[in-house]
Amino acid sequence: MNPSYPGYRALMLVLFGRSGQPPAWRSQAACAGQDTEEFFDPQHAEEVMAVCLGCPVLAECRADQLAWESSGQASRRYYAAGTVAGLSGPDRKRLHYPRKDVA
Ligand code: SF4
């Protein structure tokens, strides 16, 4: 996979942290050792989501991912694709930019 791919970068950041050091919760991640390309392959979306939803550190992963995306360091394009922390790119985008025109 091309490491410049925005979704790939987003996943690497949440899994390994900005410093290159993995967060403490990472050792318990259900995706440890899993092929990260699957997180961006729509054909594996259901399988990846099942891994995340059964992950013992889902809450920590999701909190770190959403905090990073909200920090201003992430461009919208960084979460336009892929599944991270049990959320698809569109799911995460909706959390950050909820529609205001829904009654
Ligand atoms: S929630 Fe998903 S992406 Fe996050 S550590 Fe667990 S398996 Fe990996």
Side-chain angles (χ1 to χ4, degrees), residues 13-17 21-27 64:
L13 281 167
V14 77
L15 296 180
F16 298 107
Q21 297 297 313
W25 54 260
R26 176 66 181 123
S27 63
D64 279 5

Side-chain angles (χ1 to χ4, degrees), residues 27 31 42 50 58 67 75 78 85 95 103:
S27 63
C31 61
L58 171 62
S75 162
Y78 287 145
L95 286 173

Side-chain angles (χ1 to χ4, degrees), residues 11 15 25-26 29-31 39 51-52 55 57-58 61 84-86:
L11 181 63
L15 296 180
W25 54 260
R26 176 66 181 123
C31 61
F39 284 74
V51 171
C52 286
C55 179
V57 291
L58 171 62
C61 178
V84 180

Side-chain angles (χ1 to χ4, degrees), residues 16-87:
F16 298 107
R18 269 173 259 138
S19 66
Q21 297 297 313
W25 54 260
R26 176 66 181 123
S27 63
Q28 300 172 58
C31 61
Q34 187 157 345
D35 181 359
T36 54
E37 288 197 30
E38 290 181 2
F39 284 74
F40 300 95
D41 182 347
Q43 292 185 337
H44 291 276
E46 284 187 32
E47 174 189 332
V48 167
M49 194 63 80
V51 171
C52 286
L53 296 180
C55 179
V57 291
L58 171 62
E60 292 87 343
C61 178
R62 186 172 290 182
D64 279 5
Q65 178 66 15
L66 294 177
W68 175 71
E69 289 176 348
S70 299
S71 69
Q73 299 175 46
S75 162
R76 280 183 181 209
R77 66 191 176 98
Y78 287 145
Y79 48 91
T83 299
V84 180
L87 297 169

